Each structure stands twice: as C-alpha cells, then as structure tokens.
Amino acid sequence: MLELIDIRAGYGRTEVVHGVSLRVPDSGVAAVMGHNGAGKTTLLRAAVGLIKVNSGRIVLGGEDVTGLRPSARVARGLAYVPQGQQSFGQLTTAENLQVVADGRKRGKALIAEALDLFPALTTLLDRRAGLLSGGQRQQLAIARALITEPKILILDEPTEGIQPNVVAEIERTVMELTARGDLGVLLVEQHIGFALQSAQHYSVLASGHVTSTGSGGAESAAAVRDAMAI
C-alpha cells in the first residue's frame, strides 16, 4: 500500500500541492483527476522522490520513505511511468526492455511476461523506439516499468495523445494486472471514462487541493465533472 499523508510540495518557494492525502491499495486503482495545472504531476513527483516534500509523509508498504531517494523507493517496489511516452529513442524496443531486465534473476521471463501483456510490441522488437507511434511508446514505457516487478505502479496521463484502441488496450492491461491481487496503481488521468472504469476510488484536484473524492465506476462521472467544473 502507498499512502500520501498531508503532502505539501512544490518548486522553490512556490507550493503547488496543499495538504493532499490519498491511499493506493495493494490491489486496485486509485485515480487522481483534474485539469492541467491542478498539481497532479507535482504530487506524483513527490511520491516518487523527484522533488522533496515541504511537509507530510509518504508511506510505502508500512515504511516511511519520505526521506529516501527515488532509487531506494524503486527498490522497495515503486515504479513510475511519467507523461510523454518516454523511452530510449535510439535503442530498439527489445533493447529498451533488456536495459531494465539486465541484472534481474528473472530478466528473460519478465520480458516475456511484459510482451504477453502488450503483444503488439512483439512485432516491433527490432524497431527503434523513436520510430514507434505514441501509443506504442506508451505500451513500451509501461512494459519497462512492469519488468521492475513493482508493488505500486504510478501512471501519469497514460492515455494522453494516443489512439482510442490503444487506450482500450492499456485499460484492459491495468485491470488485468490489478485483478491478480498483487499490484496497486496510482493513476493520474484527465480521461474521466478511463479513470473511473479502472478505479475503485478517485480524488479530484484543483489548484493543489482535493475538492472531491468518491468510489469509481461510471455512476460517478457526473460528480467528477461537477468537481472539475469548479
């Protein structure tokens, strides 16, 4: 379980996130929604350790990791897929996966498992990542994160700028992974339908504050839209 407790964070003297608390279960999805500038990515960067929190605590698997470096958080089971379908553009798809798998006892098996989840990548193994479509790069980015065998997977806007059929594929994969019972997902997303379909719980951010929370499911869509209209 990942717990963010009364997190305040920002850049320099500018505080962007103001006292946000949320919990990501050991199995299931917690979604965070809000417009651009709401503080969503800043919250994730604080959770991963890319920026220091001004106050509050980050607890992963019962351990306070607030003061740990990003690499130490990764070692404890945290994986982060940032915005922008990031990959090593000059490396092939296969090489991108292998870079993460190197040094892991189950490296080869972990690559195979990732490709099972994203079978479209199997035909692209020899293609440079920089030549892939946005949707293909996003699948590759998630596959790379899964090779680290995370307990908590953090996804920042995974559907941004990609085609609807790939959005559906990513949604299916997220739901399949969490259904296994050993992975929690913190999902930041503006696509309300995708977020609520996947999530058991949601929070809406506006100007760095939580303005609404509730249970996932399509029936919550109206409440989320109302909260995002504030």
Side-chain angles (χ1 to χ4, degrees), residues 112-160:
E113 291 169 9
L115 292 174
D116 283 343
L117 290 168
F118 296 108
L121 296 178
T122 60
T123 62
L124 303 167
L125 293 176
D126 294 329
R127 186 175 300 180
R128 286 186 179 180
L131 300 178
L132 301 179
S133 69
Q136 291 163 346
R137 287 196 304 274
Q138 188 64 282
Q139 291 180 78
L140 176 58
I142 298 173
R144 292 176 63 222
L146 291 172
I147 289 173
T148 68
E149 298 184 279
K151 297 175 182 177
I152 299 291
L153 176 64
I154 299 179
L155 301 175
D156 191 359
E157 303 279 10
T159 70
E160 183 182 34

Side-chain angles (χ1 to χ4, degrees), residues 38-181:
K40 304 185 303 298
T41 294
T42 300
L43 181 65
L44 297 192
R45 288 173 62 82
V48 177
L50 295 175
I51 60 173
K52 292 183 178 180
V53 300
N54 297 334
S55 64
R57 293 192 300 137
I58 300 161
V59 180
L60 178 61
E63 178 187 2
D64 190 329
V65 300
T66 311
L68 297 184
R69 295 182 177 183
S71 58
R73 301 185 198 194
V74 170
R76 285 162 172 77
L78 198 62
Y80 177 43
V81 180
Q83 285 179 288
Q85 304 104 37
Q86 295 187 16
S87 61
F88 298 110
Q90 295 303 310
L91 300 182
T92 66
T93 298
E95 289 168 340
N96 267 270
L97 298 173
Q98 190 63 52
V99 163
V100 184
D102 280 346
R104 297 184 179 274
K105 291 181 180 180
R106 298 182 57 245
K108 187 176 294 186
L110 290 168
I111 290 175
E113 291 169 9
L115 292 174
D116 283 343
L117 290 168
F118 296 108
L121 296 178
T122 60
T123 62
L124 303 167
L125 293 176
D126 294 329
R127 186 175 300 180
R128 286 186 179 180
L131 300 178
L132 301 179
S133 69
Q136 291 163 346
R137 287 196 304 274
Q138 188 64 282
Q139 291 180 78
L140 176 58
I142 298 173
R144 292 176 63 222
L146 291 172
I147 289 173
T148 68
E149 298 184 279
K151 297 175 182 177
I152 299 291
L153 176 64
I154 299 179
L155 301 175
D156 191 359
E157 303 279 10
T159 70
E160 183 182 34
I162 62 177
Q163 55 269 44
N165 64 310
V166 179
V167 172
E169 182 73 8
I170 291 173
E171 180 180 339
R172 178 197 62 75
T173 300
V174 168
M175 296 181 73
E176 178 181 333
L177 287 167
T178 55
R180 297 177 182 178

